[in-house]
Amino acid sequence: MRIPVSKPDLRGREAEYAADAVRSTWISSTGPFLDRFEREWAQACGAKHALGVCNGTAALHLALLGLDVRPGDEVLVPGLTYVAVANAVRYVGGVPVFVDVDRQTWCIDPKLVEAAITPLTRGIIAVHSYGHPADMDAINRLAAVHGLWVVEDAAEAHGACYRDRVVGGLSRVGVTSFYGNKILSAGEGGAVMTSDDQLAVRLRVLRGQGVDPDRRYYFPVVGHNFRMTNVAAAILCAQLERFDQILRDRRRVFARYDEHLGRTQPCADWAEIAPWMYCGLLGHRRDHVVDLLRERGIETRPFFYPLHELPPYRGCARGNLPVSVELARSGINLPTYPELPDSVVDEICEIVRRDP
Ligand SMILES: *Cc1c(COP(=O)(O)O)cnc(C)c1O
């Protein structure tokens, strides 16, 4: 493909810091970049603690282990999101229960959450989907009333704001990913955020094979190896130095698309969207436009399949999920990255707008 749908922006000190980590021989899962990254990312999310992990899926898995999800526990998950969210629930033996998304946010619909709660429900995973924050006050309020925890997944929404508060630190636990197509990236990487001191200790233990923090080589619980390397953290430290610039550059791409296409992604009046991948709704023309762009060497991606339509998750929805299904059929992500030239955006839009 001539034009990828996304591409990390590594034009700052990423190569320099990664080389520093290599030269120092601190390439494993301790080191100064890791400490710095965890400090700075916690601050960027308004959380007290952040733990670097090897990817976003591990971050979700670790969060659910930290919250002690047990076999048979039900977890409410949006019907339209990345499959890792549902998979993580399964890893701990839980049952993902899909709730439709809200047409105004494309995130889990708080109005439908209450009806999905049963005596087995333990928590809610609120995903800030396609850069738009979920309605966290409504979700946190429902969770408090029913004694549930909330995990916030900010993988697609680095820098998004909910009522002027940055996402990632707005609930009991936040998780994120730094995969190659996220706004900030280390190729592979993730983080878990919390302001609960006790939970942070527990998460650290579970991340590092379950080792006792006060007794080396002694393992009181079954843990995992979900650690992040100092090399990945080095790249993320450089990404964080240019966080604002990366957001600005991606917003410029968004604005260019908007000029041609008109924004189709809704934005609640309390939301500031993070410029992840530009979203279009093309209705029945979607697959045709994907083909037209592919012929020109331009990569796109269709929206996620509704999770309850995937073989492992058939039957996991309470009722049907009309909004998830409609968005999944109609939605497309268009190339979005800081180095994308305006002329290519213009070319893409010309094809998108062409009559079928
Ligand atoms: C990308 C993504 C993840 C998974 O992250 P990986 O680093 O690819 O494991 C989790 N949740 C959401 C919402 C994502 O978009």
Side-chain angles (χ1 to χ4, degrees), residues 19 23 64 95 109 115 125 130-131 149 171-172 176 184 193 203 207 219 242 295 319 346 355-356:
R23 274 192 295 266
L64 298 179
V95 179
D109 188 340
I125 304 180
Y130 296 114
W149 46 254
S171 60
R172 185 85 189 286
T176 198
L184 299 176
M193 296 76 79
L203 291 167
R207 175 183 67 174
F219 302 91
R242 292 168 55 253
E295 281 164 24
D346 298 349
D355 282 330

Side-chain angles (χ1 to χ4, degrees), residues 102 104-108 110 128 131-139 160-165 167 170 266-273:
D102 181 349
Q104 296 313 311
T105 64
W106 299 356
C107 299
I108 195 167
H128 305 305
H132 193 300
D135 187 354
M136 292 309 295
D137 286 349
I139 293 164
C161 287
Y162 175 75
R163 299 188 191 279
D164 294 323
R165 286 171 286 157
V167 302
L170 301 177
C267 183
D269 55 13
W270 40 257
E272 190 180 325
I273 292 182

Side-chain angles (χ1 to χ4, degrees), residues 324-340:
S324 297
V325 169
E326 185 190 320
L327 291 172
R329 304 271 190 274
S330 163
I332 188 171
N333 290 119
L334 298 172
T336 308
Y337 49 91
E339 288 177 83
L340 185 67

Side-chain angles (χ1 to χ4, degrees), residues 36 206 258 261 281 291 294 335 339:
R36 174 176 157 190
L206 291 166
D258 282 345
L261 304 176
L281 294 181
D291 291 341
R294 193 196 298 117
E339 288 177 83

Side-chain angles (χ1 to χ4, degrees), residues 299-322:
E299 185 189 27
T300 58
R301 60 184 260 183
F303 275 19
F304 302 114
Y305 281 96
L307 292 173
H308 71 294
E309 292 185 358
L310 300 176
Y313 297 111
R314 288 199 183 120
C316 290
R318 298 262 151 82
N320 47 17
L321 309 178

Side-chain angles (χ1 to χ4, degrees), residues 68-86:
D68 203 19
V69 178
R70 302 276 178 91
D73 288 352
E74 292 181 358
V75 178
L76 305 183
V77 169
L80 184 73
T81 186
Y82 189 50
V83 69
V85 180

